[in-house]
Amino acid sequence: MSLFKARDWWAAVLGEGEEFDQGCLCVGDVDNSGSGHDKIVVGSYMGMLRVFSPHPAKPGEPSPAHSQLLEVQLRDPVIQIEVGKFVSCSDLLHLAVLHPRKLSVYSVSGTAGNVEHGVQYQLKRVYEHNLQRTACNMTYGTFGGVTDHHSMCIQSMDGMLMFFEQESYSFGRFLPGFLLPGPLCYCSRTDTFLTVSSARQVESYRYETLAVATDAETRQDAEQHSKTAGKRLTADWTLVLGEQALDLSVPSFSPSSSSIFVCGERNLYCLKDNGHIRFMKKLEYNPSCFLPYASVSEGTTNTLVGNHNNMLLVYQDVTLKWAAQLSCSPVAVRLANFPDLKGVVVTLSNEGHLQCSYMGTDPSFFSTPKVDAREQDYSQIDTEMKSLQRVIRQATRTQADILPVAETDEDLTVTATVSTNMDSTSQALIPDIDGLPVPSVTVKIKVTSRCALQGPKLTVCVQPPLAVTQDQLVLEPLGVGSTTVVAFSAFLNGQYPPADLTGDVAVSYSSPTELNPAGIPRVAQCTFSLPLRLVCCPSAPSKNAKYKITVDTNKPPVNLSEVFPDFLVKSEDKEGNALAFHFLSGPRVTVLASKTSQRYRIQSESFEDIWLVVKELVQRFDRHFAKQGVKDFRNSFAGPIPLAEYFETVDHHFELRVSAEKYQDLLSERAVQFRAIQRRLLTRFKDKTPAPLQNLDTLMEGTYRQVIALADAAEENRACLNQAFVRLRSATHLLILLVSLWQGLNTEQNTILEATLLPLLQDTPQLGWEESVDAAVSHLLRTCLSRSPKDQALSLSTSQLSMPKDTVRLKKHITLLCDRLGKGGRLSLASEANVPTPVMMPGGCEPIAEAVADMEEPPLQQESAAKFIKKKQPSKKVKSKTDKESKDKKLSAEVAVKETVEETAEEPVKEVKKEKKESSKEKKKESTKEPKEPKDPGKESKKESLKESKEKKESSKEKKESSKESGKESNKESSKDTSKESLKEPGKEKVSRKSSVKVKEKKKEPDAAAGEG
């Protein structure tokens, strides 16, 4: 940022709506006054030519408007203006004006007036050249060493250099390898022309080489002549810049200095006459113009650089010496000498702000006033505080009056209407799919404005593979109360059904206000639903299918023909108990209504295609019973949740993602191999001594074919991946709907579940569906669906998401999510603990083993449990148990698995107390029976012990725990201490639960034994 500001000496604004560029400013004694003072000549793209002789306004003198000497409207735009000796029979300075198709040379003369208005200036045309090609820029100088007069060189847009010696045309040459014109400059020391080509390199051409090169009328002729006969035009030297140049300049203030300055987009170069770099300065901004000028220090050059941040910077070689702030961004800068001041910086902006300024600072006479350090009056502050509190209380009571009332009527309302009938002439891009015609439906958008609006633009978005005839429209500006209706057609544009039939319409517009006449950007939105008839047609129902889903209702069955009146074309069922939908992509979906029960079965050979039919069925049932005035109608789903079928779709999508990564890796390897072969071949071709290629060309051709084949396979895999993702979205929508019907989720919970399982609208290489859903489901399992308040996560996981190795973890988490919802878990975004309520689990989802459910336990507790098992080995008496006892253990283990699910609703503290009492009884009973049992040291007992080692280790652990607890009971410890002890060892809760269930089977036996005793 600049510390100083450029001091304004004189300024003017040129015209309105005119445009200027770097060639539109020129400084010189154009009227040949002989005083040595410069005039400012400005031309514009609108054809205006102005001449100024600036001087600052003083009290009693005319205003700065009298500084304008001349203003002429030319017929053609002014591209560039220069001042020089362009007339052969005169040594006076003349003005050369370059137009797109013409070069004109004028003389500016002043006639002394007889009245107080002063000198009157006139512009007279001396001669002009009509150009055969459109001009881009020009330069002038003493071409060929002629010192008396200046010649001119014009560069055309197609790369031809046209040379003019005053009134006559000399010759024209085409630059080799030309694509786009660049800046052009003449160096009188070496008699060369410098330009920057579209290859981003500085090229130098000698005037002598240009003069003797083959002449041609067109570029094709020039290329043909250069190959057959004549002198070929070649550059004297080139220097690669690597960036496009903004301007070129060869300072002529010192004959001894030989420097060529190039201003690039990000760097400032100083070159020697032979093309070698003298120095380079990297710029940290985008330059807009530059000008080298003479420096006070010997051997250095100063450079003025303007940028788009309204800054003017002064460099001495590569050192920044000064920075000044301008009022606008300059596109041209010059130095001029005026009667009152020398070395004035003249800048011109693209909008016509002409400014003459100088560097320096003006002293500031402002002094900061002293702060009155008086003591605070606390009583006055207290009184003011009370009055402010009173105002705040009144404002809170009448908040509705103070706050702005939300406008009930929006500035713009957008409504969408979908036609009930298909279009008579389909607008679909695909006429038919597998012999079935593809229909289209008309959607009308009505836009109504309440006030004047500017620049409304309408955008339509539908889910793939649906498409519309026009998705973006630019509307006319809307007046007060105006209405615009736009119509378009929607249709299927793919070989698979969409995941959603809804579409979105957004209208962006600008609402002007008093403070912002340009308008405040706003957006109005609306949604529309396309009919199911757009993607399927009626068909004959089928009795058998692979995938079946049953939806229950609480009302008597209805006739499907009343619910789906638009799908009865081919139906032969007069009772309306069966209805079939034939999707255009191939699969069929059948809906069967039960005659006796209140159930409806939806079946199909494709799992994900059931979604659209189930959604339509549920929505039409709601509308049907709502029309009849039934308020307590409810849909439900008894289960089970089809997770296995859903996971097939997930695995298919994941396999395609893995294949996409493999194709990407293979493509990268082949591309690296292809570039390496190219480098080898290039080295062989550049070698002066020819060497055999050693089949490198064959290897390069084979690698090229592999690259093309891999690219085609990757493209095909990408199309399959897009289709699989749409099918995955359909299956996920179906899963969400079934879970919602199964558990009766409300709107908020359904929204949370949908955001969890459908976080993305499309897959990207950086983030995929699997890792996003896994992170979201894991967060729910750690927060609102955790088993107890102490297991809830205190903070969000900040680990970076990456593509998983497989889908095992994801499927386990989704299964666990359904299980906890089935056990009464509630979906909530609240921060407080949300413990599942104890309810009987319906048959909608299979129970998940406790080992899976305990995935969130800390690893330290598992290690402590492992140490406990290892330390306390089973005794020899336990190993020598008979077959009868081992069979009892197996039965008790099976009963334990069944009863653990039923006992999940019990509180953990009570359960531990009960387990300890029952396990102590079991321990006493087993200890009384063990001495009576005979020991069998034979082979049979060894085989049995090896076979049942795992179960016996578990039972030994239970006995050790129960003996430990019975010892504590004998010492009459309180139940409170027991509960505390159980809470300290949460890792042993599984074992105690199983042992308690086993004891329940034998609960009557200890009681009978106690009675006998």
Side-chain angles (χ1 to χ4, degrees):
M1 184 175 178
S2 174
L3 295 176
F4 306 99
K5 183 180 179 181
R7 314 313 301 176
D8 292 338
W9 185 70
W10 179 87
V13 179
L14 310 181
E16 293 183 1
E18 297 186 38
E19 295 183 10
F20 302 85
D21 207 350
Q22 60 183 4
C24 297
L25 177 64
C26 181
V27 172
D29 189 13
V30 68
D31 60 342
N32 299 284
S33 61
S35 62
H37 299 148
D38 295 327
K39 311 295 186 299
I40 301 176
V41 185
V42 182
S44 72
Y45 285 163
M46 303 300 291
M48 296 297 297
L49 185 67
R50 300 176 177 90
V51 181
F52 296 91
S53 178
H55 57 274
K58 295 181 180 179
E61 290 190 0
S63 62
H66 290 76
S67 300
Q68 183 171 342
L69 305 181
L70 184 66
E71 180 175 299
V72 179
Q73 173 69 58
L74 303 178
R75 297 179 60 184
D76 300 316
V78 177
I79 298 176
Q80 189 174 345
I81 50 178
E82 298 291 347
V83 175
K85 300 177 181 180
F86 301 130
V87 180
S88 59
C89 58
S90 175
D91 292 335
L92 300 178
L93 295 177
H94 289 76
L95 180 65
V97 181
L98 179 64
H99 301 290
R101 285 283 186 169
K102 185 169 58 176
L103 174 64
S104 302
V105 175
Y106 298 94
S107 65
V108 180
S109 59
T111 304
N114 297 325
V115 293
E116 60 180 0
H117 297 297
V119 182
Q120 296 181 0
Y121 288 85
Q122 295 179 352
L123 184 69
K124 295 181 180 180
R125 185 175 62 192
V126 181
Y127 63 87
E128 67 178 11
H129 294 287
N130 292 320
L131 307 178
Q132 300 297 324
R133 288 174 171 80
T134 303
C136 177
N137 51 21
M138 73 172 179
T139 186
Y140 72 96
T142 56
F143 303 164
V146 178
T147 57
D148 296 338
H149 297 88
H150 292 154
S151 301
M152 290 169 286
C153 175
I154 300 175
Q155 180 180 208
S156 67
M157 296 296 290
D158 58 351
M160 183 178 187
L161 297 183
M162 296 172 283
F163 294 88
F164 297 90
E165 292 184 5
Q166 292 85 41
E167 296 87 350
S168 61
Y169 170 74
S170 297
F171 58 90
R173 299 290 182 267
F174 282 98
L175 295 177
F178 180 86
L179 181 61
L180 294 173
L184 182 66
C185 186
Y186 173 72
C187 180
S188 60
R189 293 186 299 272
T190 57
D191 197 21
T192 57
F193 292 88
L194 304 168
T195 184
V196 179
S197 66
S198 56
R200 297 185 175 182
Q201 62 182 7
V202 183
E203 298 177 356
S204 174
Y205 296 94
R206 291 186 177 274
Y207 179 74
E208 182 182 358
T209 306
L210 292 166
V212 300
T214 306
D215 194 3
E217 293 296 330
T218 62
R219 174 168 294 280
Q220 289 77 11
D221 295 342
E223 293 176 356
Q224 186 67 26
H225 290 177
S226 64
K227 293 178 182 178
T228 57
K231 186 72 174 178
R232 185 177 181 181
L233 180 59
T234 57
D236 188 25
W237 55 263
T238 60
L239 175 67
V240 177
L241 297 180
E243 61 179 330
Q244 190 59 42
L246 183 68
D247 198 3
L248 282 172
S249 180
V250 179
S252 58
F253 43 79
S254 176
S256 60
S257 64
S258 58
S259 297
I260 301 169
F261 286 86
V262 184
C263 182
E265 295 174 339
R266 283 292 183 181
N267 298 279
L268 179 64
Y269 303 89
C270 180
L271 312 179
K272 298 180 182 179
D273 288 340
N274 57 3
H276 295 169
I277 296 180
R278 186 185 300 276
F279 63 81
M280 183 183 75
K281 172 66 177 177
K282 183 174 179 60
L283 306 177
E284 297 180 355
Y285 48 83
N286 292 325
S288 59
C289 60
F290 89 123
L291 177 69
Y293 68 97
S295 174
V296 179
S297 302
E298 187 176 355
T300 60
T301 304
N302 288 359
T303 308
L304 287 172
V305 181
N307 61 17
H308 292 285
N309 296 328
N310 301 353
M311 297 288 296
L312 187 65
L313 302 102
V314 183
Y315 290 92
Q316 188 176 53
D317 287 348
V318 295
T319 306
L320 180 64
K321 291 294 185 180
W322 197 269
Q325 184 79 33
L326 298 175
S327 59
C328 54
S329 299
V331 295
V333 58
R334 300 288 186 270
L335 289 181
N337 296 324
F338 298 116
D340 299 330
L341 190 62
K342 294 184 178 181
V344 177
V345 180
V346 183
T347 56
L348 175 66
S349 72
N350 61 343
E351 296 178 353
H353 294 275
L354 182 63
Q355 181 180 0
C356 296
S357 57
Y358 59 91
M359 304 297 174
T361 57
D362 291 338
S364 177
F365 299 101
F366 175 76
S367 59
T368 306
K370 295 181 179 180
V371 180
D372 188 8
R374 55 194 175 98
E375 294 183 358
Q376 300 292 338
D377 188 358
Y378 292 101
S379 60
Q380 183 180 358
I381 294 176
D382 194 19
T383 305
E384 185 180 0
M385 183 68 178
K386 290 180 180 179
S387 63
L388 291 175
Q389 288 178 346
R390 192 181 305 111
V391 172
I392 293 173
R393 283 194 298 270
Q394 293 177 357
T396 54
R397 291 194 192 102
T398 60
Q399 189 174 10
D401 298 334
I402 295 177
L403 295 178
V405 180
E407 296 181 358
T408 56
D409 296 334
E410 298 291 338
D411 294 340
L412 188 75
T413 56
V414 184
T415 56
T417 306
V418 182
S419 176
T420 56
N421 300 322
M422 299 294 111
D423 296 340
S424 58
T425 303
S426 177
Q427 303 295 325
L429 300 179
I430 304 175
D432 60 89
I433 300 177
D434 296 336
L436 295 176
V438 180
S440 64
V441 66
T442 302
V443 182
K444 292 184 179 180
I445 308 297
K446 183 179 180 181
V447 181
T448 305
S449 63
R450 194 172 56 87
C451 57
L453 303 176
Q454 300 174 358
K457 297 179 181 178
L458 187 142
T459 305
V460 183
C461 179
V462 291
Q463 300 297 326
L466 294 175
V468 294
T469 53
Q470 189 173 2
D471 57 351
Q472 291 185 353
L473 299 96
V474 178
L475 307 179
E476 295 292 334
L478 300 175
V480 179
S482 61
T483 301
T484 302
V485 179
V486 177
F488 58 86
S489 295
F491 50 86
L492 185 66
N493 195 30
Q495 301 290 335
Y496 54 96
D500 199 352
L501 289 175
T502 61
D504 298 321
V505 177
V507 179
S508 60
Y509 59 94
S510 298
S511 178
T513 60
E514 295 180 358
L515 299 178
N516 189 358
I520 301 173
R522 297 182 182 276
V523 176
Q525 296 179 344
C526 78
T527 59
F528 60 90
S529 296
L530 298 174
L532 183 63
R533 188 71 174 76
L534 190 66
V535 295
C536 64
C537 61
S539 176
S542 60
K543 296 182 179 180
N544 299 323
K546 183 178 179 181
Y547 303 101
K548 301 177 182 179
I549 289 174
T550 303
V551 176
D552 297 341
T553 61
N554 60 348
K555 296 298 176 183
V558 298
N559 192 346
L560 293 179
S561 59
E562 298 178 3
V563 182
F564 292 92
D566 50 341
F567 283 89
L568 296 178
V569 179
K570 296 182 180 180
S571 178
E572 299 177 356
D573 187 10
K574 297 181 180 179
E575 299 180 358
N577 294 330
L579 195 65
F581 304 86
H582 186 189
F583 282 92
L584 301 180
S585 55
R588 300 170 185 263
V589 181
T590 304
V591 180
L592 300 174
S594 176
K595 297 181 180 179
T596 57
S597 61
Q598 303 168 356
R599 295 183 176 182
Y600 302 88
R601 172 173 290 178
I602 303 95
Q603 57 187 17
S604 175
E605 294 294 332
S606 176
F607 175 71
E608 56 272 6
D609 292 331
I610 302 177
W611 150 243
L612 289 178
V613 178
V614 174
K615 177 187 176 184
E616 191 76 13
L617 183 69
V618 172
Q619 290 179 351
R620 294 204 182 194
F621 276 171
D622 292 338
R623 292 197 297 264
H624 176 74
F625 286 101
K627 288 181 181 179
Q628 296 181 356
V630 179
K631 297 183 179 179
D632 59 343
F633 174 74
R634 186 172 61 87
N635 295 298
S636 62
F637 178 71
I641 298 295
L643 289 179
E645 295 83 353
Y646 175 67
F647 290 153
E648 292 178 3
T649 309
V650 174
D651 291 336
H652 178 61
H653 175 261
F654 184 74
E655 288 173 3
L656 290 176
R657 284 191 65 194
V658 173
S659 300
E661 282 200 347
K662 290 181 180 179
Y663 282 129
Q664 188 69 25
D665 296 340
L666 288 174
L667 198 58
S668 300
E669 292 177 3
R670 294 297 180 270
V672 170
Q673 178 180 335
F674 187 72
R675 288 192 292 269
I677 297 171
Q678 279 183 323
R679 286 195 294 268
R680 293 271 184 104
L681 278 174
L682 189 60
T683 305
R684 295 289 177 91
F685 290 148
K686 283 187 175 181
D687 196 359
K688 294 182 179 179
T689 58
L693 298 179
Q694 297 179 350
N695 295 325
L696 283 176
D697 52 346
T698 307
L699 184 60
M700 180 177 178
E701 184 179 358
T703 306
Y704 174 75
R705 291 177 179 175
Q706 290 180 0
V707 169
I708 295 300
L710 284 173
D712 293 340
E715 193 69 24
E716 183 179 356
N717 185 82
R718 182 184 301 175
C720 294
L721 182 60
N722 294 335
Q723 180 176 347
F725 183 71
V726 174
R727 294 187 177 276
L728 177 61
R729 288 190 61 201
S730 299
T732 307
H733 276 300
L734 178 60
L735 180 71
I736 293 170
L737 178 61
L738 294 180
V739 172
S740 177
L741 296 177
W742 175 44
Q743 289 298 318
L745 303 181
N746 56 25
T747 306
E748 181 182 358
Q749 293 175 340
N750 198 21
T751 304
I752 296 174
L753 186 60
E754 188 172 351
T756 303
L757 297 179
L758 287 173
L760 302 175
L761 289 178
Q762 61 181 0
D763 270 330
T764 60
Q766 294 78 19
L767 186 64
W769 180 86
E770 284 79 7
E771 53 266 30
S772 304
V773 172
D774 190 19
V777 173
S778 300
H779 177 70
L780 290 182
L781 293 177
R782 291 189 178 97
T783 53
C784 62
L785 294 181
S786 60
R787 290 176 300 168
S788 60
K790 65 179 181 180
D791 294 335
Q792 287 196 356
L794 299 178
S795 60
L796 292 173
S797 176
T798 57
S799 59
Q800 187 175 3
L801 298 181
S802 60
M803 182 176 175
K805 296 181 180 179
D806 50 38
T807 58
V808 176
R809 177 184 173 89
L810 171 64
K811 292 189 286 189
K812 186 184 295 183
H813 284 177
I814 294 177
T815 306
L816 193 58
L817 172 71
C818 296
D819 177 61
R820 297 217 177 145
L821 287 175
K823 291 180 180 179
R826 292 186 298 107
L827 292 173
S828 174
L829 297 179
S831 58
E832 62 268 10
N834 187 7
V835 185
T837 55
V839 295
M840 293 301 293
M841 191 188 78
C845 187
E846 296 181 0
I848 301 173
E850 288 295 326
V852 178
D854 291 341
M855 54 166 288
E856 300 169 5
E857 290 184 359
L860 294 176
Q861 296 176 0
Q862 297 177 2
E863 293 177 5
S864 62
K867 291 179 181 179
F868 184 82
I869 295 172
K870 186 176 180 181
K871 184 177 179 181
K872 299 186 178 182
Q873 299 292 340
S875 61
K876 293 181 179 179
K877 293 180 181 180
V878 177
K879 291 182 181 179
S880 61
K881 287 186 179 180
T882 60
D883 297 342
K884 182 179 179 182
E885 190 169 347
S886 64
K887 290 179 180 178
D888 293 339
K889 293 289 182 180
K890 289 182 180 179
L891 289 172
S892 63
E894 292 176 0
V895 175
V897 175
K898 294 180 180 179
E899 293 188 1
T900 46
V901 179
E902 298 176 358
E903 293 177 2
T904 52
E906 299 179 1
E907 295 182 7
V909 178
K910 294 181 180 179
E911 198 176 51
V912 172
K913 292 179 182 177
K914 200 171 184 180
E915 289 164 5
K916 291 188 175 181
K917 290 181 181 180
E918 292 173 354
S919 59
S920 63
K921 292 179 181 180
E922 183 187 10
K923 177 64 181 179
K924 290 178 182 178
K925 180 183 176 182
E926 290 179 355
S927 62
T928 57
K929 286 184 178 181
E930 276 180 2
K932 296 178 182 181
E933 293 176 359
K935 295 183 180 179
D936 189 7
K939 296 180 180 179
E940 188 176 355
S941 63
K942 291 181 181 180
K943 290 180 181 179
E944 291 172 356
S945 63
L946 291 172
K947 186 178 181 181
E948 303 168 359
S949 60
K950 187 176 180 181
E951 296 180 359
K952 289 185 178 182
K953 284 181 182 180
E954 189 176 351
S955 63
S956 64
K957 180 182 175 183
E958 296 166 1
K959 290 178 181 179
K960 293 293 181 180
E961 284 188 1
S962 61
S963 62
K964 192 174 182 180
E965 293 162 359
S966 62
K968 291 181 182 178
E969 284 184 353
S970 63
N971 293 332
K972 296 183 179 180
E973 291 186 358
S974 63
S975 61
K976 185 177 180 181
D977 296 333
T978 307
S979 62
K980 288 183 179 178
E981 209 170 312
S982 64
L983 292 174
K984 289 181 181 178
E985 297 180 356
K988 302 174 184 177
E989 189 177 346
K990 296 186 209 175
V991 181
S992 61
R993 281 184 184 179
K994 292 180 180 178
S995 62
S996 65
V997 176
K998 293 174 185 176
V999 174
K1000 284 183 180 180
E1001 294 294 323
K1002 302 178 181 179
K1003 189 173 182 182
K1004 297 180 180 179
E1005 295 179 12
D1007 295 340
E1012 290 175 1

